[in-house]
C-alpha cells in the first residue's frame, strides 16, 4: 500500500507555501486578476513607443499573476490527483487564460503591420530593451505574415488542421486491436505500456511474440493510418506554401529561429557516424550469442542487476558529487534545493507519476517532482530534473521576465549535461566491473535512442515532406519502403530488418508535429559536447556554461548555445558527441 501524503516527513515534500499560504490567497489573487484583463485601450495605438512600453509592462504584470496562479494549481493537483479541488482551480485559470489571449490577440498582427523603421526604433529604444528580441523576431517573420483577411481564414482553419493529429490519437489510444499473447501460461494484452516491458523480457520468445503482435495491430489499420499521415503531410506542405516558406523544414526551423545549417550538419554527422551504431549492433549480437539478431532483441538489457540501491539521501549526495565539476556555487544551490523544500521525493497515493521540473518567473525558485525508487536509473533522474531546475533558476534570475523562458530547442541540454557528468563520475570512481558495464550500456542506449533513432525519424520526415513538395505521390508502400531502407542504413547488416519494422513510422505520434524530433538529437549532442568540454577545460568551460544557463530566450537558441562554446553551425560539436559514443563503445568492449 502506498503511503498517504500526510505520512511523509516534511523535508521530503515540496513547500508551496512560499507561493500561496493557502487556497484563500489563491482565490483572492484570482479575483483581482479577473478585473485586469481588458487591454482594449491599447488597440490601434501600438505605433507609439511609450504606449508600447505601458502595454508590454502591463502584460508582464498580468503574466506574473497568471504564472503564479497556474503553477500552484498545477502542482497542488499533482500532489494528489484524486483531489477535485485543484482540478477545479486548474480549469478556472485555464479559462481565464483563454479569455486573456483573445483580449490580446490584436497585438502581434498590429506589431507586424508597423513599418520596419518603427520596429527598429523599438529595438534601439533602451526603455524597450526587454523586448528587443521579440521585435527582431517580428521583423524576421514579416514575409510570412499574410493579409488580414488571409490570416483570418487561416486562423479559422486551426481546428481543421489539427484534425489529422486528433484522428491518429483516437486510432492510437482507442481503436488499435492489440492482441493477447501467452506469457508463461498467462494471457497478456500487448498494449502500448506492456510493449515496452515485454521487449525487455529476458525470454526471447516473449519478445518475438510481443513484437509481432504489437505490429499486427498497426498493420491491421495501416490504410487508415497512412491516409491520416498523408493528410497531415499535405497539411504541412499547404501551410508552408500559404505562408511562403521555401519548404516545410524551413518553416519549422524559422519558426524556432534555428539556422537551417544545423539540420544538415546533424544529418551529415550522424550518417558519417553510422558505422559506430553498426559496431554497437554487432557487440549486442555477440554478447547475446545469437546467430541472427532481430529488431526485437534491441531493447533487452545487456547487463542485468547492476542496480545501485541507494536511499534517497545517499542518492542525492552521490548526485552532488557527480556534479562537483560545475563548481561550488552550483553545489550550494543543489543543497539549498534539498534543504528548502524544492523537491517532492516520495511516491504517495494519488500522486502524479514520473518526474518533472517546473518553474516560472514569479515564484522564488523552481520545483522538482520525483517518485523516487531505489534504482540506478532513478539516481540519474534526480540529476536530470535538477539540471532543468538549475537552468530555470539561472534564466529567471538573470533575464527580464520577457526573456526568461527558454525554448524547447535547448530545454533538454542542462538535464542531459548533468546525466553525462554523473555518468563520467561513476565510471571514474567505481571499481565494480558489472556496474561499469551497466553504465556504459546505459550511456550507449541513451545515445542510440535519443541521438541516432531520432535522427532516423528526422530523415524519414524529411523524405516524405520533400516527396510531396516535389509533386510526387505518397503511398503506404513508398513510405514503408523508405522507412525500411532507413532502418537498414542505421542498424547495418548484423541485424535482421524484420518485415514489421517497415511499419514503424505508423506508430510514432511525434510525426504529427513535423520536424520536432530532431531537437532531441541536437539537444543531446550539445549536452555531450558541453560535458566533455567541462571535463577537459574545467573552469573556463564552466563559466561559459553558466552564461548559457542564464540566457533564457534572449536570442536564437543556436546563438545561446554558442555562449557555452557549442557552435551547431559547425561540425565540431557533432563530432565531439560521436567521439564520446565511440570512447564508450571502446570501454564497453574492453570490459
Ligand atoms: Zn527532461
Amino acid at each position: 500500500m502506498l503511503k498517504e501524503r500526510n505520512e511523509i516527513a516534511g523535508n521530503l515534500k515540496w513547500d508551496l507555501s512560499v507561493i500561496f499560504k493557502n487556497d484563500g490567497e489563491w482565490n483572492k489573487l484570482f479575483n483581482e486578476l479577473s478585473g485586469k484583463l481588458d487591454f482594449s485601450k491599447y488597440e490601434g495605438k501600438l505605433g507609439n513607443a511609450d504606449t508600447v512600453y505601458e502595454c508590454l509592462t502591463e502584460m508582464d504584470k498580468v503574466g506574473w499573476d497568471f504564472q503564479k496562479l497556474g503553477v500552484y494549481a498545477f502542482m497542488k493537483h499533482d500532489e494528489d490527483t484524486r483531489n477535485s479541488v485543484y482540478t477545479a482551480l486548474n480549469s478556472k485559470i485555464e479559462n481565464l487564460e483563454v479569455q486573456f489571449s483573445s483580449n490580446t490577440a490584436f497585438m502581434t498582427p498590429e506589431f507586424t503591420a508597423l513599418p520596419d523603421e518603427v520596429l527598429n526604433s523599438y529595438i534601439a529604444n533602451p526603455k524597450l530593451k526587454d523586448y528587443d528580441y521579440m521585435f527582431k523576431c517580428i521583423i524576421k517573420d514579416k514575409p510570412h505574415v499574410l493579409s488580414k483577411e488571409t490570416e483570418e481564414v487561416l486562423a479559422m482553419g486551426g481546428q481543421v488542421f489539427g484534425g489529422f493529429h486528433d484522428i491518429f490519437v483516437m486510432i492510437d489510444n482507442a481503436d488499435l486491436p492489440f492482441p493477447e499473447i501467452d506469457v508463461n501460461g498467462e494471457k497478456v494484452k500487448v498494449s502500448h505500456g506492456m510493449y515496452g516491458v515485454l521487449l525487455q523480457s529476458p525470454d526471447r520468445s516473449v519478445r518475438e511474440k510481443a513484437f509481432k503482435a504489437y505490429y499486427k495491430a498497426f498493420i491491421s489499420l495501416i490504410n487508415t493510418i497512412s491516409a491520416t499521415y498523408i493528410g497531415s503531410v499535405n497539411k504541412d506542405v499547404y501551410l508552408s506554401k500559404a505562408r511562403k516558406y521555401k519548404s516545410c523544414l524551413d518553416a519549422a526551423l524559422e519558426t524556432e529561429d534555428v539556422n537551417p545549417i544545423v539540420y544538415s550538419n546533424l544529418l551529415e554527422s550522424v550518417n558519417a557516424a553510422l558505422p559506430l551504431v553498426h559496431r554497437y549492433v554487432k557487440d549486442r549480437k555477440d554478447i547475446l550469442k545469437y546467430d541472427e539478431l532481430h529488431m526485437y532483441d534491441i531493447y533487452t538489457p545487456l547487463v542485468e542487476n547492476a542496480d545501485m540501491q541507494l536511499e534517497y539521501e545517499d542518492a542525492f549526495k552521490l548526485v552532488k558529487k557527480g556534479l562537483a565539476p560545475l563548481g561550488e556555487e552550483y553545489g550550494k544551490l543543489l543543497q539549498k534545493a534539498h534543504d528548502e523544500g524544492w523537491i517532492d521525493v516520495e511516491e504517495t497515493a494519488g500522486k502524479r507519476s514520473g518526474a518533472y521540473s517546473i518553474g516560472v518567473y514569479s515564484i522564488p525558485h523552481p520545483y522538482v517532482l520525483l517518485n523516487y525508487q531505489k534504482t540506478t536509473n532513478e539516481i540519474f533522474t534526480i540529476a536530470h530534473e535538477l539540471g532543468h531546475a538549475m537552468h530555470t533558476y539561472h534564466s529567471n534570475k538573470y533575464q527580464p521576465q520577457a526573456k526568461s523562458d527558454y525554448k524547447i530547442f535547448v530545454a533538454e541540454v542542462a538535464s542531459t549535461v548533468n546525466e553525462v557528468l554523473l555518468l563520467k563520475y561513476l565510471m571514474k570512481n567505481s571499481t565494480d566491473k558489472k556496474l561499469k558495464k551497466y553504465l556504459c550500456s546505459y550511456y550507449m542506449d541513451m545515445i542510440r535512442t535519443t541521438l541516432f533513432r531520432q535522427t532516423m525519424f528526422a530523415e524519414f520526415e524529411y523524405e516524405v515532406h520533400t516527396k510531396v513538395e516535389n509533386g510526387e505521390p505518397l503511398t503506404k508502400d513508398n513510405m514503408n519502403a523508405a522507412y525500411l531502407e532507413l532502418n537498414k542504413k542505421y542498424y547495418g547488416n548484423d541485424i535482421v530488418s524484420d518485415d514489421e519494422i517497415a511499419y514503424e513510422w505508423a506508430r510514432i505520434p511525434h510525426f504529427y508535429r513535423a520536424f520536432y524530433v530532431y531537437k532531441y538529437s541536437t539537444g543531446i549532442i550539445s549536452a555531450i559536447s558541453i560535458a566533455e568540454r567541462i571535463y577537459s577545460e574545467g573552469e573556463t568551460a564552466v563559466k561559459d556554461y553558466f552564461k548559457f544557463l542564464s540566457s533564457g530566450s534572449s536570442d536564437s537558441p543556436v546563438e545561446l548555445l554558442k555562449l557555452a562554446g557549442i557552435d551547431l553551425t559547425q561540425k565540431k560539436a557533432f563530432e565531439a558527441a560521436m567521439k564520446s559514443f565511440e570512447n564508450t563503445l571502446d570501454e564497453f568492449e574492453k570490459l
Side-chain angles (χ1 to χ4, degrees):
M1 265 295 271
L2 284 176
K3 283 186 181 167
E4 288 296 324
R5 197 166 172 81
N6 57 19
E7 296 172 71
I8 302 294
N11 63 335
L12 295 175
K13 289 190 277 196
W14 58 26
D15 176 12
L16 304 189
S17 69
V18 295
I19 309 177
F20 290 107
K21 284 207 183 65
N22 50 51
D23 297 355
E25 275 196 358
W26 191 96
N27 280 308
K28 189 166 165 272
L29 184 66
F30 181 88
N31 292 333
E32 282 169 23
L33 181 62
S34 310
K36 292 183 191 164
L37 303 183
D38 183 9
F39 273 60
S40 59
K41 57 179 181 277
Y42 298 113
E43 196 164 353
K45 305 213 171 76
L46 297 179
N48 175 288
D50 291 329
T51 317
V52 169
Y53 176 76
E54 264 175 56
C55 173
L56 292 177
T57 43
E58 197 173 326
M59 279 278 283
D60 281 351
K61 277 185 201 143
V62 170
W64 175 282
D65 291 347
F66 263 117
Q67 290 180 344
K68 212 173 147 181
L69 290 162
V71 89
Y72 178 86
F74 184 86
M75 286 192 284
K76 273 291 187 191
H77 174 257
D78 287 351
E79 285 181 355
D80 186 352
T81 53
R82 301 167 301 182
N83 186 342
S84 60
V85 170
Y86 298 105
T87 318
L89 293 197
N90 272 301
S91 41
K92 267 174 89 172
I93 193 74
E94 276 162 24
N95 291 340
L96 204 63
E97 265 168 337
V98 171
Q99 192 195 326
F100 181 57
S101 64
S102 121
N103 286 2
T104 50
F106 68 92
M107 288 177 59
T108 309
E110 201 173 317
F111 281 131
T112 307
L114 294 173
D116 282 4
E117 47 195 344
V118 176
L119 290 168
N120 277 317
S121 77
Y122 291 174
I123 294 170
N125 189 335
K127 217 173 152 184
L128 291 172
K129 70 174 188 317
D130 288 0
Y131 313 100
D132 55 359
Y133 181 59
M134 179 187 99
F135 288 120
K136 280 180 198 163
C137 290
I138 287 173
I139 294 180
K140 206 172 59 67
D141 289 342
K142 265 189 170 186
H144 309 296
V145 178
L146 308 168
S147 70
K148 196 167 171 275
E149 288 75 19
T150 319
E151 283 295 338
E152 275 168 15
V153 172
L154 285 181
M156 275 157 58
Q159 262 184 323
V160 182
F161 302 136
F164 303 103
H165 172 261
D166 295 345
I167 296 167
F168 180 74
V169 169
M170 286 314 281
I171 295 172
D172 200 36
N173 293 333
D175 291 348
L176 280 168
F178 289 124
E180 286 181 340
I181 61 165
D182 185 75
V183 180
N184 302 326
E186 256 183 75
K187 291 263 175 247
V188 177
K189 192 171 174 156
V190 190
S191 60
H192 290 304
M194 276 315 287
Y195 180 65
V197 177
L198 293 168
L199 267 210
Q200 294 192 33
S201 165
D203 182 343
R204 196 180 191 199
S205 71
V206 169
R207 299 202 299 269
E208 183 179 358
K209 276 188 279 185
F211 179 80
K212 298 211 154 129
Y214 189 64
Y215 276 99
K216 199 175 163 196
F218 286 93
I219 293 168
S220 75
L221 294 178
I222 195 64
N223 292 312
T224 314
I225 298 174
S226 298
T228 310
Y229 185 54
I230 292 168
S232 180
V233 174
N234 285 335
K235 176 252 326 175
D236 297 335
V237 175
Y238 165 74
L239 284 177
S240 83
K241 280 191 176 154
R243 291 206 176 278
K244 303 189 182 102
Y245 286 104
K246 273 195 290 206
S247 64
C248 298
L249 175 63
D250 269 30
L253 295 170
E254 277 195 41
T255 311
E256 189 114 358
D257 199 10
V258 169
N259 186 333
I261 195 146
V262 171
Y263 196 83
S264 48
N265 278 346
L266 172 71
L267 262 47
E268 282 165 27
S269 311
V270 164
N271 272 283
L274 287 180
L276 294 174
V277 182
H278 302 166
R279 206 175 115 196
Y280 166 87
V281 167
K282 172 87 171 54
D283 286 350
R284 177 168 271 276
K285 185 175 159 186
D286 293 345
I287 290 167
L288 294 171
K289 299 195 178 75
Y290 293 154
D291 293 336
E292 272 187 354
L293 190 73
H294 284 267
M295 291 312 294
Y296 46 79
D297 297 322
I298 206 100
Y299 290 99
T300 184
L302 289 177
V303 187
E304 281 187 85
N305 293 327
D307 266 334
M308 293 182 281
Q309 301 195 336
L310 297 185
E311 293 295 337
Y312 170 71
E313 292 301 337
D314 296 325
F316 187 85
K317 277 184 204 140
L318 182 65
V319 167
K320 253 186 87 180
K321 276 189 200 151
L323 302 181
L326 292 172
E328 227 174 284
E329 276 307 305
Y330 196 92
K332 274 188 199 157
L333 211 52
L334 291 176
Q335 195 57 45
K336 202 173 152 78
H338 172 278
D339 297 345
E340 296 181 11
W342 298 20
I343 310 171
D344 207 72
V345 179
E346 302 252 328
E347 185 181 15
T348 50
K351 181 172 161 180
R352 178 191 169 125
S353 62
Y356 66 70
S357 162
I358 190 167
V360 290
Y361 200 75
S362 54
I363 60 174
H365 57 73
Y367 288 89
V368 168
L369 177 136
L370 301 173
N371 279 280
Y372 184 71
Q373 310 290 336
K374 287 186 266 180
T375 68
T376 310
N377 278 10
E378 295 272 314
I379 304 172
F380 280 96
T381 303
I382 299 176
H384 182 104
E385 298 307 335
L386 285 169
H388 285 306
M390 294 302 149
H391 192 179
T392 305
Y393 177 86
H394 285 91
S395 283
N396 285 347
K397 185 168 175 189
Y398 293 103
Q399 291 299 323
Q401 188 177 345
K403 296 180 187 174
S404 58
D405 198 10
Y406 48 80
K407 287 195 177 151
I408 290 185
F409 188 86
V410 294
E412 287 301 331
V413 173
S415 53
T416 315
V417 165
N418 281 9
E419 283 201 58
V420 178
L421 288 177
L422 177 60
L423 202 110
K424 280 180 170 287
Y425 171 82
L426 290 170
M427 283 298 289
K428 212 164 125 191
N429 293 288
S430 166
T431 46
D432 180 350
K433 202 170 153 185
K434 198 171 170 187
L435 178 65
K436 279 188 161 186
K437 275 205 274 187
Y438 176 83
L439 293 167
C440 282
S441 71
Y442 178 89
Y443 190 49
M444 290 191 302
D445 282 337
M446 179 165 113
I447 295 180
R448 184 178 60 76
T449 52
T450 311
L451 198 168
F452 289 104
R453 187 160 186 257
Q454 302 295 334
T455 307
M456 180 171 88
F457 289 169
E459 278 205 55
F460 177 74
E461 285 188 291
Y462 182 73
E463 268 188 48
V464 294
H465 282 84
T466 310
K467 247 194 183 53
V468 174
E469 282 164 350
N470 292 339
E472 293 168 42
L474 219 47
T475 64
K476 75 171 185 228
D477 293 333
N478 65 20
M479 290 194 290
N480 282 349
Y483 197 86
L484 190 63
E485 263 323 292
L486 280 171
N487 197 76
K488 284 182 184 161
K489 182 172 90 170
Y490 270 73
Y491 290 96
N493 296 325
D494 277 301
I495 192 162
V496 179
S497 282
D498 304 87
D499 293 344
E500 286 85 354
I501 207 70
Y503 297 87
E504 190 174 36
W505 63 268
R507 69 177 184 88
I508 309 298
H510 267 131
F511 281 157
Y512 292 84
R513 202 168 162 185
F515 300 106
Y516 181 85
V517 291
Y518 84 95
K519 292 177 225 178
Y520 290 114
S521 310
T522 50
I524 189 174
I525 283 167
S526 308
I528 292 172
S529 297
I530 289 170
E532 293 289 349
R533 209 183 145 223
I534 287 169
Y535 250 73
S536 57
E537 292 174 37
E539 212 176 312
T540 7
V542 172
K543 261 195 189 150
D544 289 345
Y545 181 52
F546 273 89
K547 286 182 209 154
F548 163 75
L549 287 182
S550 308
S551 66
S553 57
S554 53
D555 202 343
S556 144
V558 177
E559 289 305 311
L560 298 180
L561 281 167
K562 286 184 190 167
L563 298 172
I566 303 305
D567 185 355
L568 293 177
T569 66
Q570 306 288 324
K571 288 268 175 72
K572 205 178 132 205
F574 295 88
E575 281 155 9
M578 306 306 162
K579 188 74 202 153
S580 181
F581 184 59
E582 186 174 9
N583 291 343
T584 313
L585 204 52
D586 289 343
E587 177 85 30
F588 184 68
E589 284 169 0
K590 226 166 55 201
L591 287 163

